[in-house]
């Protein structure tokens, strides 16, 4: 690619070109072995004499930063050059983000451990990649991308219609294509909803424990996020702050406990929203993978007053990297949410969306879900049976859906989780999903681990508990020894 050279600053032109190229080599913008533009071409681009450029190249060559190859051109040396961090000017150092962002931790990518019980991870090996590649290739043909235009911010029309039919049949969601807004995953759906409904300082109620990415997103918008306790029937409606403008909930498969909200609690929540003029954001988390009874109807389907915004995602059904989610909006919010989506990213990826529309309409999604559900059911059964029979220090929370299970402990399991990671076992503490007082428990996902490896992984978890228990016991005896 063309390298930009600025001729601003002091010194003759050759010295300025030299400094620009040297800085680019030292900080890694020009990589070892990269070819530089010929001196004649660089001179024409910079509108200087060829001699001026040649002098800069020759100086860098003499110092060992460039090498000339007869008949090939001039290249950055293949010898390693230690990168040099750029100096931060005083003016740059004064730039600061808004205050609320100072308390938001940076995202980090966890290393994949040999026994991966990480949450929110589907098994990519189950996905019909060859079929998907064929559908994407079909959409990439010339007639699909011409004429070049910006797409509808609400999403591909065929996909919106397919989603409306899909959630209508599989989840009893009452929606037409005009109610559906396609997003870049459920997280963007929540972001668009927050932009439309939440003013800085507004109260947003979330489940406690609950889905951390949603909580952090509302906090980033300036909301005052309040955790509301969850019991065996779902969110405690009586504990929701009366000032709450938005209530975020995962009623079909509560994250991370895994319980389902009772019908009585659902009707109570809808009545509360009507009385307080509030909006309920229903995240139908992991509802596709069910291993026993049929789920209760979504809040959206029994909502008679347009209080519910229904959110779904294909990340865990298919592949997280595809980044396709959606929301179903009540009529009063459709236009505004569409505008907010346009201001956020104009529109999503039309190629992926068109391919997904065909994937749904041709029955391929339903077939994939059936196959994946059988596999995940086997993993769920093995884990729950093992935990019930061989882990008396864990109290399993009943769950019949999704890609994870939760088990409570009578002690803080932080040490167990840390030791398990040292053994190559990725599990998470329930406290990670708490906004207020930490709750004790361990959460295990099974989307990323196959059946043959589950038993060994759970044995390692048991060993981590024993080692942690012995370590604590020895530590308690040490002061009196």
């Amino acid at each position: 690619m063309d390298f930009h050279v600025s001729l601003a600053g002091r010194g003759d032109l050759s010295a300025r070109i030299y400094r620009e190229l040297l800085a680019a080599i030292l900080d890694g913008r020009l990589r070892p072995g990269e070819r530089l533009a010929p001196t004649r071409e660089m001179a024409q681009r910079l509108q200087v004499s060829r001699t001026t450029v040649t002098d800069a190249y020759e100086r860098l060559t003499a110092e060992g930063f460039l090498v000339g190859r007869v008949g090939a051109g001039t290249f950055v040396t293949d010898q390693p050059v230690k990168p040099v961090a750029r100096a931060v000017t005083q003016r740059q150092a004064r730039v600061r983000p808004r205050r609320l962002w100072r308390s938001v931790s940076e995202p980090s990518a966890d290393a994949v451990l040999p026994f991966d019980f990480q949450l929110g991870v589907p098994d990519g090996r189950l996905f019909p990649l060859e079929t998907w590649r064929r559908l994407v290739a079909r959409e990439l043909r010339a007639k699909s991308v011409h004429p070049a235009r910006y797409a509808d911010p609400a999403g591909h029309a065929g996909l919106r219609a397919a989603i409306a039919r899909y959630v209508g049949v599989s989840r009893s969601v009452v929606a037409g294509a005009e109610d559906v807004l396609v997003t870049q995953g459920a997280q963007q759906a929540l972001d668009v909803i927050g932009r439309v409904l939440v003013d800085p300082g507004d109260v947003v109620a979330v489940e406690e424990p609950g889905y951390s990415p949603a909580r952090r997103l509302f906090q980033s918008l300036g909301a005052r996020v309040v955790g509301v306790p969850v019991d065996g029937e779902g969110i405690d409606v009586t504990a929701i702050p009366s000032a709450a403008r938005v209530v975020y909930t995962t009623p079909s498969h509560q994250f991370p406990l895994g319980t389902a909200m009772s019908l009585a609690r659902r009707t109570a929540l809808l009545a509360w929203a009507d009385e307080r003029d509030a909006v309920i954001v229903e995240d139908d988390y992991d509802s596709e993978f069910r291993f026993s009874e049929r789920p209760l109807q979504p809040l959206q389907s029994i909502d008679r007053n347009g209080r519910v915004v229904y959110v779904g995602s294909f990340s865990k059904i298919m592949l997280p990297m595809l980044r396709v989610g959606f929301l179903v909006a009540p009529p009063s919010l459709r236009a505004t949410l569409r505008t907010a989506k346009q201001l956020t990213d104009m529109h999503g990826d039309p190629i992926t969306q068109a391919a997904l529309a065909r994937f749904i309409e041709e029955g391929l999604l339903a077939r994939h879900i059936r196959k994946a559900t059988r596999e995940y059911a086997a993993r769920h059964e093995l884990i729950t049976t093992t935990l019930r029979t061989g882990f008396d220090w864990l109290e399993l929370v009943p769950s019949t859906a999704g890609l994870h299970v939760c088990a409570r402990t009578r002690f803080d399991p932080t040490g167990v989780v840390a030791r398990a990671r040292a053994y190559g076992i990725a599990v998470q503490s329930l406290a990670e999903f708490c906004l207020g007082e930490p709750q004790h428990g361990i959460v295990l996902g099974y989307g990323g681990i196959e059946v043959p490896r589950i038993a060994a992984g759970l044995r390692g978890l048991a060993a981590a508990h024993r080692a942690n228990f012995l370590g604590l016991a020895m530590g308690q005896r040490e002061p009196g020894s």
Side-chain angles (χ1 to χ4, degrees):
M1 66 183 72
D2 292 340
F3 178 74
H4 174 74
V5 175
S6 172
L7 296 182
R10 297 179 179 179
D12 60 47
L13 295 177
S14 180
R16 296 179 202 176
I17 296 170
Y18 164 83
R19 287 197 301 268
E20 288 280 317
L21 292 173
L22 177 61
I25 294 171
L26 292 177
D27 65 22
R29 284 176 292 146
L30 287 176
R31 295 173 295 184
E34 192 161 350
R35 185 177 184 272
L36 271 63
T39 54
R40 187 185 303 278
E41 181 182 318
M42 178 74 80
Q44 291 175 344
R45 191 188 314 148
L46 298 178
Q47 297 182 349
V48 298
S49 71
R50 185 180 180 187
T51 302
T52 299
V53 177
T54 300
D55 288 346
Y57 278 29
E58 288 179 348
R59 182 177 174 185
L60 289 165
T61 301
E63 294 175 358
F65 293 105
L66 298 181
V67 292
R69 299 173 188 166
V70 177
T74 303
F75 299 81
V76 178
T77 178
D78 287 327
Q79 299 300 315
V81 176
K82 184 178 180 181
V84 177
R86 295 188 187 182
V88 178
T89 67
Q90 188 63 26
R91 182 167 181 169
Q92 289 174 319
R94 292 192 184 125
V95 178
R96 293 289 184 271
R98 287 189 297 152
R99 183 180 299 276
L100 67 88
W101 283 98
R102 300 177 193 176
S103 61
V104 178
S105 58
E106 289 187 47
S108 59
D110 291 328
V112 178
L113 299 181
F115 300 97
D116 188 8
F117 292 100
Q118 201 73 18
L119 272 67
V121 179
D123 191 339
R125 291 162 294 199
L126 301 177
F127 184 66
L129 190 59
E130 289 301 320
T131 299
W132 180 254
R133 184 181 290 116
R134 172 178 58 80
L135 294 173
V136 172
R138 180 175 179 179
E139 296 303 325
L140 279 171
R141 293 171 183 167
K143 67 177 183 179
S144 299
V145 296
H146 293 295
R149 295 285 189 273
Y150 287 106
D152 186 341
H156 184 277
L159 179 58
R160 293 165 64 197
I163 289 173
R165 285 190 292 273
Y166 165 68
V167 295
V169 171
S170 66
R171 298 293 291 118
S172 298
V173 170
V174 181
E178 68 279 3
D179 302 310
V180 176
L181 186 94
V182 182
T183 61
Q184 304 273 24
Q187 193 70 6
Q188 189 188 42
L190 298 177
D191 181 65
V192 172
I193 293 167
R195 289 170 183 266
V196 168
L197 295 177
V198 179
D199 284 323
D202 280 353
V203 176
V204 173
V206 299
E207 295 167 328
E208 175 73 356
Y211 188 55
S212 305
R215 180 184 73 221
R216 295 174 65 203
L217 187 145
F218 290 126
Q219 288 174 330
S220 76
L221 295 173
R224 184 162 66 89
V225 178
V226 178
V228 180
V230 175
D231 59 25
E233 291 191 73
I235 192 169
D236 183 355
V237 178
T238 63
I240 300 175
S242 59
R245 168 81 169 127
V246 172
V247 179
Y248 171 80
T249 181
T250 53
S252 297
H253 183 244
Q254 201 279 331
F255 184 93
L257 299 179
T259 54
M261 186 183 293
S262 68
L263 180 59
R265 198 64 63 83
R266 291 172 190 239
T267 55
L269 179 57
L270 288 169
W272 182 94
D274 285 337
E275 183 181 342
R276 297 294 195 280
D277 191 25
V279 176
I280 300 169
V281 178
E282 178 180 18
D283 189 343
D284 211 9
Y285 191 92
D286 272 2
S287 65
E288 293 82 9
F289 304 120
R290 302 202 66 85
F291 314 129
S292 59
E293 78 277 0
R294 289 285 299 167
L296 293 170
Q297 285 186 305
L299 289 164
Q300 193 271 354
S301 67
I302 58 176
D303 173 26
R304 296 294 177 263
N305 298 307
R307 294 287 173 190
V308 177
V309 183
Y310 180 91
V311 173
S313 171
F314 293 95
S315 295
K316 296 175 186 63
I317 308 176
M318 299 169 66
L319 294 173
M321 67 182 66
L322 294 179
R323 304 312 303 145
V324 182
F326 62 93
L327 63 84
V328 177
S332 61
L333 293 177
R334 281 197 308 234
T336 310
L337 287 168
R338 183 176 182 274
T339 301
K341 174 64 168 60
Q342 184 180 42
L343 293 176
T344 301
D345 71 345
M346 292 299 290
H347 59 79
D349 176 5
I351 301 300
T352 297
Q353 292 181 15
L356 179 54
R358 293 186 182 277
F359 193 71
I360 296 173
E361 289 298 330
E362 293 179 12
L364 300 171
L365 178 65
R367 183 187 308 169
H368 169 61
I369 291 175
R370 287 193 296 270
K371 174 185 175 183
T373 299
R374 288 193 296 270
E375 174 63 28
Y376 293 142
R379 301 180 192 185
H380 176 272
E381 177 65 22
L382 177 57
I383 290 175
T384 54
T385 300
T386 304
L387 294 184
R388 285 195 185 100
T389 57
F391 289 71
D392 56 1
W393 51 281
L394 292 176
E395 180 186 352
L396 193 65
V397 179
S399 173
T400 59
L403 293 177
H404 72 270
V405 294
C406 178
R408 294 190 180 274
T409 61
R410 295 180 294 275
F411 59 91
D412 181 357
T414 302
V416 176
V417 171
R419 288 180 184 271
R421 292 193 69 84
Y423 294 168
I425 304 163
V427 297
Q428 290 177 264
S429 169
L430 181 59
E432 296 179 35
F433 308 101
C434 295
L435 180 60
E437 187 70 22
Q439 299 184 28
H440 296 335
I442 289 178
V443 191
L444 301 94
Y446 44 83
I449 185 166
E450 294 179 288
V451 167
R453 299 185 60 78
I454 288 177
L458 293 180
R459 286 196 298 270
L461 178 61
H465 170 252
R466 288 194 299 270
N468 185 68
F469 177 78
L470 290 174
L472 289 175
M474 292 176 63
Q476 290 169 356
R477 287 196 298 266
E478 284 175 358
S481 58

